[in-house]
Structures are given as C-alpha cells and as structure tokens.
Amino acid sequence: MSQDHFAGLLQHCAGLPPQPTAVVHPCEAGALQGALESARLGLIAPILVGPREKIEAVATAAGLELGDLPLEDVPHSHAAAARGVALVREGRATLLMKGSLHSDELLHEVLAREGGLRTERRLSHVFAMSVPSYHKPLFVTDAAVNIFPGLDDKADICRNAIDLLHVLGIARPKVALLSAVETINARLPSTLEAAALVVMSLRGQIEGALLDGPLAFDNAISAEAARIKGIASDVSGDPDILLVPDLEAGNILAKQLIYLAGAESAGLVLGARVPIIFTSRSDSMRARVASCALGALLAEARHSTWETQV
C-alpha cells in the first residue's frame, strides 16, 4: 500500500513558530517558490539573500508575490552565501536554506574557519525519504557531502542522523550499515568500518540507536532475505536509517528510489551550528516543503534545549 510519510512530518510542525531562515540566492523559480510556500504554511520566516533585481525579476516572471519579505541585497552568489552565514552568526536566522547556488559555494562559507558555522561534528547530509512501498520514513546518509568517509567520519554521520530521528520522536532508531555483502572482508573497507561502528555503539561511543552491519541492501530492507541467508538481526526488515559506504553509493541509491520506486525526498545538512535545508533544482514542491519542515522541527528542538539549559 502506498503511504504518504511526508503528511505525518507536516503534522509534527503544527503549532510551531516559523523559523527565521536565511534563503541563500533564491534566483530560480523553484527555489524561490519553495521558500514562499513554506512561509505560507508557517514553517519558516524567510530572509531572502541575493541580488535584489534578479530575485524580483524571477518573482515577476513566475507570478510570485514577495510582499514585505526582508531582502538582503548582495551582488552575487558568493556574497549571498557569506551573508547568509553571517545572518546566522548575528542571531537573525535559525536556519539556512540553499537556493539556486552551487552546493560547494554555500558549504565553503559554512566551513570557513573564521566566521563559519563549524561545530565539533563533521557535516553530513541526510535524505528523508517517503518510499511508497516501505512502511515508514527511510533516512539515507550520506549521499551529498562526504565523498569517501572514514570510520571517524561515519561515526559523526551516524550521530547526526540519530539526533535528527530523536527529534522526530524515534527514541531508538535502527541503523543498517550498508555494504555490498553481509560478511566482513578485509578487502572491502566498508565491512570493517561497519563492524567497528557496531562495536562503538556497544561501547557507548555512538548512543541512542541500534546498529547492525555490515548488511547488504537486500538483507537490510527485507527480513525474509536476511532469514534465507541465515542472518539474525533486529535491524533487518525494519531500518530507519541506511548508512551508505560512500557518497557515490548513497547518491545512486537515493536517486534510484526517487526515479524507479516513486519516492519523495527531503534533504538536510547536519553538523553545523544550524540545520541547512539542502534542496536540489529537480526537487518537487512537496520535497522542498518537507525539507523546510524537517529543518524547522530540528531548529525548534535545539532552541527548546537551549532554553532548558539556560
């Protein structure tokens, strides 16, 4: 049965205040419309950052009304990325949203040692996927930032995703550590790293989740495939998170789910001082809105945690 997991995500946001969001270089109709629609739904309060004339021209051509939204006028995309990061550092924005600039431009400013948004965590990307044939939301990480992550990188990638799922109310998410096979093979580093991550979780170095791996995709997703292969696993058939071996594998997997399985995806970059709404030019409007919803939930949770600590 086809399920709409994004509908439940939007329900989580009901009653939350809109999050001030620096929308970086929304100079393409889809990027601008995604921000405006998310604002209409009360998810974000956009601060548009980019060349004023270009943004206004895009709005006019697409029949969009900017109204009295604040607009930070800067000359080009590089300046927009820098100004968006500065708005966060100034306390005027609790979220960043990628517009129509290249991913590297925005991440370069986020990762700047002086004036950036670094934390002790490594940045990583999470796809939140609504797959019609899967019984719950499925999170794929990392398919957009870390090209060949090592063990320490994967530990942070895992922690970032776990933190996100805790905010969504999943107290102990199940994490499938993917490789091409389910047995440990010294010639296949991803199997060694998966085994190490499992031990790290047992030793308390990665907390708040149930990890298992290495698992091939079939016995991660299908309990029957795992049974046939003699794999005893509490994760098989029911993972919340798929941690992929590298960016190439993750990107191919996510796009296969979208284009062959009819999945929809929302995207966030985690590990910075604020969540980064990371949309693609080919994203649907629902995917853009869902990305904003995820970011808003995470930003509100961080704000509430900060208030409690204070």
Side-chain angles (χ1 to χ4, degrees):
M1 179 183 296
S2 179
Q3 299 186 54
D4 182 3
H5 303 301
F6 282 175
L9 174 61
L10 292 174
Q11 288 174 1
H12 274 292
C13 297
L16 294 182
Q19 295 293 322
T21 302
V23 184
V24 179
H25 204 254
C27 296
E28 182 270 332
L32 184 57
Q33 188 176 2
L36 296 179
E37 178 64 10
S38 298
R40 186 187 70 80
L41 293 172
L43 301 172
I44 65 172
I47 305 168
L48 307 179
V49 185
R52 177 182 293 275
E53 289 186 4
K54 194 168 185 179
I55 293 172
E56 290 177 344
V58 168
T60 299
L64 302 173
E65 294 289 338
L66 298 181
D68 58 355
L69 286 181
L71 196 160
E72 298 270 332
D73 186 16
V74 295
H76 45 63
S77 57
H78 292 298
R83 184 59 189 145
V85 168
L87 288 171
V88 172
R89 293 182 62 88
E90 292 167 10
R92 292 179 55 194
T94 57
L95 283 171
L96 273 181
M97 183 174 182
K98 175 179 170 286
S100 53
L101 76 171
H102 196 279
S103 300
D104 288 348
E105 288 184 87
L106 182 56
L107 294 181
H108 175 78
E109 295 298 331
V110 169
L111 290 170
R113 295 196 178 276
E114 297 294 331
L117 301 175
R118 285 175 175 265
T119 69
E120 74 282 358
R121 288 274 183 91
R122 188 168 185 86
L123 291 192
S124 62
H125 181 273
V126 175
F127 272 124
M129 310 205 75
S130 178
V131 185
S133 58
Y134 196 63
H135 59 281
K136 59 182 176 179
L138 188 62
F139 297 79
V140 177
T141 189
D142 175 351
V145 173
N146 294 282
I147 299 175
F148 293 114
L151 177 60
D152 288 341
D153 302 327
K154 287 183 177 179
D156 268 355
I157 291 168
C158 199
R159 294 181 186 111
N160 287 341
I162 292 167
D163 287 350
L164 173 62
L165 267 67
H166 286 172
V167 168
L168 296 176
I170 302 170
R172 195 165 184 247
K174 297 178 180 180
V175 184
L177 308 168
L178 296 186
S179 184
V181 297
E182 62 276 358
T183 53
I184 295 170
N185 186 326
R187 292 175 295 176
L188 199 55
S190 60
T191 65
L192 299 175
E193 291 162 352
L197 290 168
V198 171
V199 175
M200 289 173 74
S201 72
L202 295 175
R203 299 291 187 270
Q205 292 175 267
I206 300 172
E207 297 180 316
L210 175 63
L211 277 64
D212 197 10
L215 290 170
F217 183 79
D218 57 347
N219 47 64
I221 290 295
S222 169
E224 178 64 9
R227 185 194 66 78
I228 292 170
K229 292 187 176 182
I231 299 168
S233 172
D234 291 328
V235 171
S236 290
D238 192 40
D240 299 286
I241 298 167
L242 300 178
L243 193 145
V244 299
D246 54 42
L247 182 147
E248 195 169 33
N251 196 272
I252 292 170
L253 170 59
K255 288 177 179 175
Q256 283 177 327
L257 291 173
I258 294 167
Y259 289 100
L260 292 179
E264 293 183 289
S265 67
L268 286 182
V269 168
L270 308 173
R273 284 172 54 176
V274 298
I276 304 170
I277 300 162
F278 222 66
T279 55
S280 169
R281 285 174 295 175
S282 60
D283 280 346
S284 69
M285 189 53 55
R286 270 170 49 86
R288 294 176 190 275
V289 168
S291 299
C292 288
L294 270 179
L297 281 169
L298 191 52
E300 178 62 22
R302 290 184 176 185
H303 179 69
S304 298
T305 301
W306 180 82
E307 284 188 333
T308 301
Q309 291 172 345
V310 173

